[in-house]
Amino acid sequence: MLTLNTLIADAKNFNQPSESVMEVQRVLQICNACRYCEGFCATFQSMTRRLDFNVADVHFMANLCHNCGACLHACQYAPPNEFGVNIPQAMAKVRLETYQTYAWPKQLGSIYQKNGLALTMLTSIAIILFLLSLQTSSTGLFNTNTDANFYAIFPHNSLAMIFGSVFLVMVLALTLGVRGFWRQVSTDPMMLGAAKDATLDMLTLKNLGGGHQQGCNEADDAFSLWRRRFHHMTFYGFLLCFAATSVATLFHYFLGWEAPYSYTSLPVILGTVGGLGLIVGPIGLLCLNLNRHPLHGDAAQKPMDIGFIASLLAISVSGIALLALRHTPLMGILLCVHLGFVMGFFLMMPYGKFAHGIFRSAALLKNAIEVKMGKSVSVGSD
């Protein structure tokens, strides 16, 4: 009975729009009457398939918005007009609500409000100090007998068990979170062709082209593709680093080739190229974030954005330093620093900026399904 009452309370809360959702509903009604931006991006094309917008529609469309700013700069009703239409900012506020609403476990959704630079760094530093204390008690802080072998400091199986467990918990939390989002916003059947189209949109970041494919509007109102390029460097840099770890795992368990690997080996090449991408991309995104037009996005979420960027940057810089100095007595300390940043990043992944990529991918998939089905104008999400 308690569970039933909880479900009823949750349903009532969901059907009661928040102020952020009501603001999106208001501005979309204006946009749907004007339709000047209907060809700009998938968000407006989705809007034209609806006459009314319920909470599920707003959650879906908020995660479809890439916050490129094109519609704000093109809109005749944008501030200081009395209508005050600001789609990027209204959508950004709802996006944060969706992360909190669908977080698993739900009680941890509040971390999204606090996951700024300080919390991200404090979590990593605490883990680094713990690892340094372990190293000091086992091999000493400066160990010269490692021969560039990380596993002389921490045994391979121990690292695999600890990081594998955290990784699986992270994947479980993100999967259950996006499953709740998907169940709420979509009742359409899955389509293979739509999945292919959505994957292409994800990999190319097509919607960061601003509709005309000339890029986002930056603070000076000019178009620029740099935001899209820095996103690509970050995204593919992350995938290459993940590929490096996966290949090294295959080498270890299936081929019996144990680390350390040479500079010309596949895991090291993938990790080096990915690490460089994860330095250039986040630095570029950080510069753009700090200089963004004040009407773009939600300023309250900047700490979370910066915390995420700083975490990626700390991982990549410490990883490159570890690779370059692995033959020196500093190897053990650098290993603890790098592992601490990686573990801190894993712990924060389901409750920080990383989640936006997962929720946006789901929204792109729903949009692709609607396009494939040839959906026309409807009321709500009927």
Side-chain angles (χ1 to χ4, degrees):
M1 181 61 72
L2 181 62
T3 302
L4 179 59
N5 289 336
T6 302
L7 290 173
I8 292 172
D10 287 347
K12 286 181 178 177
N13 290 334
F14 186 81
N15 290 324
Q16 182 62 42
S18 66
E19 288 186 8
S20 298
V21 168
M22 287 191 288
E23 173 61 9
V24 170
Q25 291 171 329
R26 182 187 76 84
V27 295
L28 283 179
Q29 291 294 352
I30 297 172
C31 292
N32 221 358
C34 172
R35 293 206 172 190
Y36 178 79
C37 299
E38 69 176 25
F40 271 34
C41 70
T43 305
F44 289 98
Q45 290 155 18
S46 171
M47 175 194 73
T48 62
R49 294 193 287 270
R50 292 165 168 81
L51 293 177
D52 194 11
F53 308 94
N54 60 29
V55 176
D57 289 331
V58 172
H59 283 185
F60 154 58
M61 295 175 69
N63 282 281
L64 199 55
C65 170
H66 283 57
N67 195 22
C68 72
C71 57
L72 174 68
H73 290 262
C75 181
Q76 59 184 317
Y77 303 117
N81 183 280
E82 61 183 327
F83 285 176
V85 173
N86 187 337
I87 290 288
Q89 190 173 83
M91 292 294 193
K93 290 181 179 179
V94 171
R95 274 199 298 278
L96 182 62
E97 280 191 9
T98 61
Y99 305 155
Q100 295 171 310
T101 300
Y102 302 107
W104 185 91
K106 191 171 184 177
Q107 292 77 5
L108 296 183
S110 61
I111 297 178
Y112 282 106
Q113 295 280 9
K114 307 168 185 172
N115 196 348
L117 179 61
L119 179 60
T120 303
M121 289 297 112
L122 283 174
T123 302
S124 296
I125 290 171
I127 298 170
I128 291 169
L129 293 176
F130 174 71
L131 293 175
L132 284 173
S133 67
L134 285 180
Q135 182 194 344
T136 303
S137 62
S138 59
T139 63
L141 200 56
F142 298 96
N143 193 325
T144 57
N145 299 317
T146 58
D147 195 25
N149 184 4
F150 304 153
Y151 307 131
I153 305 293
F154 299 114
H156 176 274
N157 289 340
S158 298
L159 289 179
M161 184 183 69
I162 295 170
F163 279 83
S165 301
V166 174
F167 181 77
L168 289 177
V169 170
M170 177 273 294
V171 170
L172 178 66
L174 283 172
T175 301
L176 293 180
V178 78
R179 186 186 68 164
F181 171 74
W182 183 261
R183 285 181 170 178
Q184 196 65 54
V185 303
S186 181
T187 55
D188 299 321
M190 188 64 69
M191 302 172 72
L192 187 59
K196 181 181 174 183
D197 291 345
T199 301
L200 191 61
D201 287 343
M202 291 174 220
L203 295 177
T204 61
L205 294 175
K206 174 185 172 185
N207 288 284
L208 274 179
H212 38 57
Q213 299 308 310
Q214 297 181 58
C216 302
N217 289 83
E218 300 301 338
D220 60 357
D221 195 29
F223 301 132
S224 168
L225 284 168
W226 280 111
R227 193 156 173 256
R228 187 177 182 177
R229 290 166 182 155
F230 288 136
H231 266 89
H232 271 140
M233 291 180 197
T234 304
F235 177 63
Y236 287 108
F238 180 85
L239 288 185
L240 285 173
C241 289
F242 184 76
T245 304
S246 302
V247 170
T249 302
L250 292 175
F251 279 8
H252 184 93
Y253 286 111
F254 293 96
L255 300 178
W257 299 347
E258 297 186 0
Y261 302 111
S262 70
Y263 290 115
T264 55
S265 65
L266 185 58
V268 174
I269 291 174
L270 290 173
T272 303
V273 175
L276 293 176
L278 274 181
I279 291 176
V280 177
I283 288 177
L285 291 176
L286 180 61
C287 293
L288 292 177
N289 186 285
L290 294 176
N291 294 289
R292 201 88 203 270
H293 192 289
L295 290 179
H296 288 178
D298 178 15
Q301 296 178 44
K302 275 204 170 187
M304 180 175 71
D305 296 344
I306 293 173
F308 176 68
I309 292 171
S311 183
L312 287 176
L313 201 52
I315 291 172
S316 51
V317 170
S318 61
I320 293 292
L322 176 60
L323 178 65
L325 300 174
R326 62 180 179 173
H327 293 284
T328 74
L330 292 174
M331 191 270 274
I333 295 175
L334 289 170
L335 179 63
C336 293
V337 171
H338 182 61
L339 292 179
F341 282 126
V342 173
M343 178 72 83
F345 178 77
F346 276 9
L347 289 172
M348 292 297 175
M349 278 176 85
Y351 312 107
K353 188 66 179 180
F354 184 87
H356 90 288
I358 308 298
F359 282 79
R360 181 157 293 147
S361 299
L364 284 170
L365 178 58
K366 172 175 171 54
N367 179 66
I369 291 173
E370 287 188 357
V371 172
K372 281 288 182 189
M373 294 178 69
K375 278 200 169 185
S376 56
V377 173
S378 63
V379 177
S381 59
D382 294 340

